[in-house]
Amino acid sequence: MYTAIGAGLAILAVIPSALGEAWVCCHTIDGMSRNPEMYGKLRTNMILSCALVETTAIYALLTAILIIFVAK
């Protein structure tokens, strides 16, 4: 029972990750619309930022899986 609660709490780290990724994409699109000549640089930085933010969700999923299958 406690493993399920722990896995659920570990997955809660996905929520800020999703919000952070949406925030990065939203503001990148805003920057592209305000300054179109910065498109290439903004796109590159957005892809790197999204990759770094996405690792938080992957680590949370990995933690939840480890809690469920290893901690018994």
Side-chain angles (χ1 to χ4, degrees):
M1 177 177 148
Y2 291 117
T3 57
I5 293 171
L9 290 175
I11 287 296
L12 286 178
V14 173
I15 295 169
S17 175
L19 292 175
E21 192 168 349
W23 186 81
V24 166
C25 293
C26 172
H27 288 287
T28 301
I29 292 170
D30 186 37
M32 287 177 187
S33 66
R34 291 175 188 262
N35 197 358
E37 57 269 4
M38 290 293 291
Y39 175 80
K41 191 171 185 177
L42 287 172
R43 185 189 63 195
T44 302
N45 288 336
M46 181 191 71
I47 291 171
L48 287 172
S49 299
C50 284
L52 290 173
V53 171
E54 190 67 28
T55 57
T56 305
I58 293 170
Y59 289 146
L61 178 64
L62 179 65
T63 303
I65 290 172
L66 286 174
I67 288 171
I68 290 172
F69 292 113
V70 175
K72 285 192 175 188

